[in-house]
Amino acid sequence: MVDIIHYLILSGVLFAISIAGIILNRKNVLIILMSIELMLLAVNLNFIIFSHFLNDLSGQIFVFFILTVAAAESAIGLAIIIILYRNHGTINVEKLSGLKG
Amino acid sequence: MKSIYLIIVLSPLFGAIIAGFAGKLIGKTATHWIATGSVAFSFIFSMVVFKVHIFDNIGAFDETIYQWMYSGGIFFEIGFLVDNLTVIMMSVVTFVSLMVHIYTIEYMKDDEGYTRFFSFIALFTFAMLTLVMANNFMQLFLGWEAVGLVSYLLIGFWYKKETAIYANLKAFLVNRVGDFGFILGIALIVAYSGSLHYGQVFDVSSDLDRIQLNLLGYDIPLITLICMLLFIGAMGKSAQVPLHVWLPDSMEGPTPISALIHAATMVTAGIFMVARMSPLFELSEFTLSFIMIIGATTALFMGFIGLVQDDIKRVVAYSTLSQLGYMTVALGASAYSAALFHLMTHAFFKALLFLSAGSVIIAMHHIQDIKKMGGLKKYMPITYWVSLIGTLALIGFPGFSGFFSKDAIIEAVAHSNIFGSTYAYVAVLIGVLITSLYSFRMLFLVFHQKPRMGNKTKSHLKECSPIITIPLILLAIPSVIIGAITIEPFLFGDLLKTEIFVLPAHDVLGQMGQNYNGVFNFIVHSFYSPVLYLALSGILISGLIYLKYPFVADILGKRLSILIKILQYKYGIDELYKIIFAKASIYLGSFLSKTGDKTIIDGWIVNGSALLVQKISIVGKKMQTGFIYSYALVMIVGLIVLSIFLINF
């Protein structure tokens, strides 16, 4: 029997993987973007799980919103990465320390 | 009458303001006309007041002119108390001040600070009048501080001269010690009587007398504490031992102010104040004894120093100290009237002596060393004769004004039987001898003997212009006659009956009055007392030493070299103060500056906090890597910590 706890563990694992992806990734900015997507998916999964087990559709409606936002966000993210590449000639995370100010 | 009193006080202030602010604009002549005129105006009106009060007997005027503020049940007011005591002080102050103003016109004529000088001395006259006419302690203190301020300004009048700056700082600091006591005394009076007004305080003096204060486990009568503190103020202003050190140094100022401020008027403010407070001082026998001992010490030991001084002004300065000591002794003996009497005669003859010393200084082209003078009698006859008159008055030669006042004081001390009166009697007796010794030493060294100055100075020697000699002559007249005229009303009459309060037990002047039979008998009586013979032997000894057998002075100088050294170092009091107070405060200052300011405040607090911020930021800077992943890590860790926190609490 697949219980709610198993689903939640799955979504937690996905979330953890995505965090690890952001923190441990030393190579490519794209991977960060992908990790963020994964993080959002983990959250979506959570919404769906609870919506199903609590018999409340509003959770699933939220998922649509989040998907939309995620699509827009990755579009902007990719655009930023292109600009970044044009200006710096690299999208290597190790090289990008402009946040230092 | 009220407006006349106001005119008397405000007219010199007006003169001072004009001379001070517009002096450069209107020129020297206009300045001295305005300043001298304003004081002359004041003098004339003082004479009017003198006539109305003393001869027409209109009674005391005691009114508030202006109320400054009202706080906590105490009125802070400006008001005048004009009784016979005030009237006498006003007349003396305005007269001497006027003489000094006239004298200054000539004395300072080539000085750069001509207008400034006139502004200051007119301001002084204003301040002194405020002081003597006060009817409350606040105004007394105001005048007290104002004369101190002007004294400070005038001692340092030649502000480019280093010794003058040193002297005025010293005068200011020493006076601070006295003033501190004085204001504490006033504060005690206000605290326990709830009033600043003289009359109201005197009315409750018997209540104050009953209060005991517990201080450090000892029961001290309140009245003694008040009187001691007030007298400390008087000690500062009237230069009594041990706060006398500023007066000799104050001679760095121009001679006219030495005459006006440091001989005739300001330094007697302390004497005036104690006499004014006689209803309080009478109640504290301890303070009276203290006053008498301090006064006697000053009178005798400062006189000794006068014997070895070579600067003409310093000799007169030490004689001023000694005479102030006499006045103080009289206060201690409860012979307040005698003190005031001596104050008045002293104001005339000491101003005369100072101004004639100034006349000599001009003629000698600012050489002040009496060892370099001699034989001036031939060149400056007027100055010589007025100096002789002043000196005879000072030593108490029968018939001259000083004779009456000094004799009265000595006799009062003889009649007194409070603790210390025997010591005081011996001290003032020896003081008479010393006074005539140093006075005639100076007179002989300056005016007699062979001229010792250089030929160049000698060729320029001549009597000063009438602007200088006329004030001298005008001062010489009261120096001779004022004593004989006023002794009767002053000491034994009703002149100061209401102003001065004396307990029957202390009433030495009353006892003397029983034996008093007119001026002539007073003079005759003196032939039966040692005082006259001491004074005469002083003249004789100095005459022998300095006129007949000059080599005696050299022999004595060698034999008594140790004594003379002690006197030249003024008993080491100045050095002692330099070590104890000056050095100690320098050390304290440098300790506070180095350790307190530079190390603790600058080093630890100011720079330390900056350093701390720097240290923290060096660590903090390392966290700011600029890499996205580290920010993300921090954010997530923060989120986790926050969630744990929120869940648990």
Side-chain angles (χ1 to χ4, degrees):
Chain A
M1 179 63 198
V2 183
D3 211 351
I4 181 167
I5 190 80
H6 300 105
Y7 290 112
L8 286 178
I9 287 169
L10 172 65
S11 104
V13 167
L14 280 176
F15 195 80
I17 288 170
S18 67
I19 287 172
I22 293 175
I23 293 167
L24 299 178
N25 162 44
R26 293 282 190 274
K27 292 285 179 206
N28 205 319
V29 181
L30 277 173
I31 292 174
I32 293 179
L33 214 58
M34 284 151 70
S35 299
I36 291 169
E37 288 304 314
L38 189 61
M39 201 185 279
L40 286 166
L41 289 175
V43 173
N44 280 347
L45 194 58
N46 250 14
F47 268 117
I48 292 166
I49 294 160
F50 281 112
S51 151
H52 179 263
F53 280 93
L54 298 174
N55 279 327
D56 186 349
L57 275 180
S58 54
Q60 296 183 26
I61 293 165
F62 256 106
V63 171
F64 284 114
F65 280 107
I66 292 172
L67 280 175
T68 323
V69 171
E73 181 241 296
S74 48
I76 292 169
L78 285 168
I80 290 173
I81 289 169
I82 289 166
I83 303 285
L84 207 60
Y85 184 74
R86 275 191 198 156
N87 287 343
H88 292 273
T90 176
I91 48 167
N92 193 336
V93 179
E94 293 271 75
K95 298 269 164 59
L96 296 172
S97 59
L99 273 180
K100 223 194 252 181
Chain B
M1 286 310 283
K2 196 160 138 185
S3 47
I4 292 183
Y5 302 139
L6 265 175
I7 288 171
I8 292 173
V9 176
L10 292 180
S11 154
L13 178 65
F14 171 77
I17 290 171
I18 300 280
F21 289 110
K24 286 261 156 23
L25 221 66
I26 58 179
K28 283 185 169 185
T29 318
T31 305
H32 71 230
W33 274 110
I34 287 174
T36 314
S38 70
V39 174
F41 208 58
S42 208
F43 170 66
I44 292 165
F45 277 106
S46 295
M47 287 296 105
V48 172
V49 172
F50 186 85
K51 185 201 168 274
V52 172
H53 271 269
I54 308 277
F55 294 111
D56 302 351
N57 238 333
I58 63 159
F61 170 94
D62 184 359
E63 251 181 61
T64 298
I65 304 293
Y66 168 73
Q67 185 185 330
W68 180 33
M69 60 178 178
Y70 172 77
S71 169
I74 298 162
F75 288 96
F76 294 85
E77 292 164 333
I78 298 292
F80 293 148
L81 168 60
V82 184
D83 50 16
N84 291 347
L85 173 56
T86 314
V87 171
I88 290 161
M89 288 300 289
M90 280 160 67
S91 312
V92 172
V93 169
T94 50
F95 177 67
V96 177
S97 176
L98 180 62
M99 292 303 113
V100 169
H101 271 79
I102 297 170
Y103 181 92
T104 305
I105 294 172
E106 176 71 19
Y107 190 87
M108 300 294 286
K109 70 178 176 203
D110 297 324
D111 201 280
E112 282 173 29
Y114 191 76
T115 54
R116 184 161 54 98
F117 191 86
F118 270 102
S119 168
F120 286 166
I121 50 175
L123 184 66
F124 171 78
T125 313
F126 161 73
M128 193 68 202
L129 287 171
T130 318
L131 193 161
V132 296
M133 290 171 78
N135 77 343
N136 60 68
F137 286 94
M138 191 202 75
Q139 193 182 336
L140 177 73
F141 191 71
L142 173 80
W144 191 269
E145 290 301 308
V147 291
L149 168 72
V150 183
S151 158
Y152 167 80
L153 290 172
L154 283 169
I155 295 170
F157 181 74
W158 288 312
Y159 53 82
K160 287 176 186 156
K161 205 164 126 194
E162 205 159 306
T163 47
I165 297 302
Y166 176 79
N168 78 347
L169 185 64
K170 186 170 171 182
F172 204 69
L173 290 178
V174 175
N175 266 302
R176 245 20 40 212
V177 179
D179 293 351
F180 190 63
F182 189 50
I183 199 165
L184 283 180
I186 293 177
L188 265 183
I189 289 173
V190 175
Y192 282 91
S193 72
S195 173
L196 279 163
H197 188 266
Y198 290 163
Q200 287 166 4
V201 173
F202 297 158
D203 285 344
V204 296
S205 62
S206 54
D207 296 334
L208 295 178
D209 195 24
R210 281 194 286 274
I211 302 174
Q212 300 273 327
L213 280 186
N214 196 311
L215 216 69
L216 305 170
Y218 295 98
D219 271 336
I220 296 173
L222 173 70
I223 201 89
T224 299
L225 197 60
I226 289 176
C227 292
M228 288 298 284
L229 288 169
L230 289 179
F231 182 64
I232 287 171
M235 275 160 73
K237 191 103 326 192
S238 291
Q240 297 296 304
V241 173
L243 297 180
H244 65 282
V245 289
W246 65 272
L247 189 59
D249 281 13
S250 76
M251 296 301 133
E252 292 295 338
T255 311
I257 62 114
S258 305
L260 177 61
I261 300 183
H262 303 121
T265 51
M266 185 192 85
V267 289
T268 57
I271 311 295
F272 165 77
M273 188 271 288
V274 176
R276 181 55 100 196
M277 304 301 147
S278 57
L280 299 178
F281 279 89
E282 269 305 287
L283 301 174
S284 170
E285 194 151 306
F286 175 81
T287 314
L288 289 177
S289 285
F290 182 75
I291 291 176
M292 191 179 245
I293 290 166
I294 290 285
T297 310
T298 312
L300 181 59
F301 289 93
M302 293 303 117
F304 279 133
I305 299 179
L307 284 173
V308 299
Q309 293 297 317
D310 286 336
D311 183 318
I312 185 166
K313 281 178 75 183
R314 285 194 185 238
V315 179
V316 190
Y318 278 104
S319 101
T320 306
L321 277 173
S322 167
Q323 298 308 308
L324 287 167
Y326 273 91
M327 295 175 212
T328 311
V329 168
L331 295 174
S334 295
Y336 302 99
S337 313
L340 290 167
F341 187 39
H342 195 52
L343 188 164
M344 180 181 72
T345 58
H346 175 259
F348 293 125
F349 66 69
K350 192 49 66 68
L352 171 63
L353 279 173
F354 257 119
L355 293 183
S356 38
S359 165
V360 170
I361 291 169
I362 295 180
M364 294 292 297
H365 293 282
H366 292 273
I367 291 172
Q368 300 192 0
D369 191 344
I370 53 176
K371 287 269 155 75
K372 292 181 183 146
M373 298 178 185
L376 291 181
K377 181 184 172 188
K378 198 168 67 187
Y379 304 99
M380 311 179 72
I382 301 176
T383 310
Y384 170 70
W385 285 109
V386 293
S387 293
L388 185 64
I389 289 170
T391 308
L392 287 174
L394 170 63
I395 66 159
F397 194 80
F400 286 82
S401 62
F403 161 77
F404 295 101
S405 51
K406 199 182 267 185
D407 239 30
I409 288 175
I410 293 167
E411 204 161 323
V413 177
H415 278 85
S416 172
N417 44 23
I418 62 171
F419 176 76
S421 57
T422 319
Y423 164 67
Y425 184 63
V426 174
V428 292
L429 270 188
I430 301 172
V432 171
L433 174 70
I434 303 300
T435 308
S436 76
L437 270 179
Y438 65 68
S439 304
F440 273 90
R441 168 179 177 264
M442 185 179 94
L443 194 79
F444 291 146
L445 280 175
V446 173
F447 292 103
H448 294 267
Q449 293 193 341
K450 287 198 189 80
R452 288 180 300 272
M453 68 293 277
N455 280 330
K456 192 160 169 276
T457 321
K458 199 172 160 188
S459 61
H460 288 120
L461 273 179
K462 61 170 195 311
E463 184 60 86
C464 296
S465 76
I467 303 178
I468 285 197
T469 50
I470 286 172
L472 292 180
I473 294 165
L474 287 179
L475 279 166
I477 295 167
S479 299
V480 179
I481 59 169
I482 196 93
I485 298 174
T486 55
I487 179 168
E488 198 164 337
F490 230 112
L491 297 184
F492 311 116
D494 292 337
L495 187 66
L496 297 172
K497 264 285 179 292
T498 50
E499 289 78 7
I500 302 291
F501 169 80
V502 182
L503 286 180
H506 295 162
D507 194 6
V508 288
L509 286 175
Q511 294 172 27
M512 284 160 63
Q514 289 164 0
N515 302 324
Y516 178 79
N517 307 308
V519 177
F520 184 71
N521 282 330
F522 194 82
I523 297 175
V524 171
H525 179 71
S526 74
F527 285 97
Y528 299 103
S529 80
V531 181
L532 176 65
Y533 297 103
L534 282 169
L536 291 180
S537 57
I539 303 178
L540 197 69
I541 293 169
S542 56
L544 281 175
I545 294 178
Y546 292 101
L547 294 182
K548 276 264 178 195
Y549 309 107
F551 60 90
V552 179
D554 297 331
I555 295 173
L556 280 178
K558 280 192 191 105
R559 284 282 161 82
L560 303 173
S561 60
I562 297 173
L563 270 177
I564 289 172
K565 268 273 170 315
I566 292 175
L567 291 179
Q568 275 169 345
Y569 279 99
K570 304 157 206 159
Y571 311 112
I573 294 173
D574 280 87
E575 309 300 320
L576 193 72
Y577 286 174
K578 262 187 211 160
I579 293 168
I580 295 180
F581 297 112
K583 280 265 170 62
S585 47
I586 287 171
Y587 279 127
L588 182 70
S590 64
F591 169 77
L592 287 178
S593 147
K594 276 183 192 144
T595 314
D597 193 50
K598 284 190 183 138
T599 310
I600 296 180
I601 294 179
D602 264 13
W604 297 357
I605 299 177
V606 178
N607 291 339
S609 56
L611 212 66
L612 190 70
V613 170
Q614 198 190 1
K615 289 250 166 73
I616 292 171
S617 63
I618 285 170
V619 176
K621 207 165 77 180
K622 288 191 180 135
M623 289 167 68
Q624 182 105 346
T625 55
F627 300 120
I628 296 170
Y629 47 81
S630 53
Y631 295 115
L633 179 65
V634 171
M635 271 164 73
I636 286 154
V637 169
L639 195 70
I640 290 167
V641 169
L642 201 66
S643 333
I644 290 169
F645 188 77
L646 284 177
I647 291 165
N648 283 349
F649 302 100

